[in-house]
Amino acid sequence: NGLLKLVFEKPAGRILGVHICGDDACELIHYGMELVKAERTIEDVINSLYSAVTFHEMYRIAAQAGVDEVGARKRRAAAG
């Protein structure tokens, strides 16, 4: 259980910050810090390849939710 939120510029998609709380947040925030430092975009995260299903894939899920807000709401409602 937890929360991962990407704060980004709407037009350019550049990631400005990351909010994260929950189990293993201290392990995941470092990746978010690197995204901000490297001035990566939401599209960069969506197109990133993760070698296995890991907690880091939550960044991709958060990025997709930022791009497709309506679809994200439907997925959350379906999950309960």
Side-chain angles (χ1 to χ4, degrees), residues 2-78:
L3 168 94
L4 188 145
K5 179 169 62 172
L6 298 175
V7 180
F8 65 98
E9 292 178 318
K10 201 74 155 164
R14 186 171 65 98
I15 298 170
L16 303 173
V18 176
H19 298 184
I20 187 167
C21 62
D23 297 339
D24 297 319
C26 61
E27 300 294 331
L28 295 170
I29 195 64
H30 296 29
Y31 181 61
M33 291 168 46
E34 182 59 34
L35 293 173
V36 173
K37 183 178 176 184
E39 298 183 356
R40 303 280 302 271
T41 67
I42 292 293
E43 290 298 324
D44 292 335
V45 176
I46 290 172
N47 295 325
S48 292
L49 178 64
Y50 298 92
S51 58
V53 177
T54 64
F55 284 128
H56 288 84
E57 186 141 355
M58 290 189 306
Y59 281 93
R60 178 186 293 162
I61 294 167
Q64 289 171 332
V67 172
D68 180 17
E69 295 176 35
V70 174
R73 284 191 201 101
K74 289 179 182 177
R75 286 189 293 276
R76 283 193 299 271

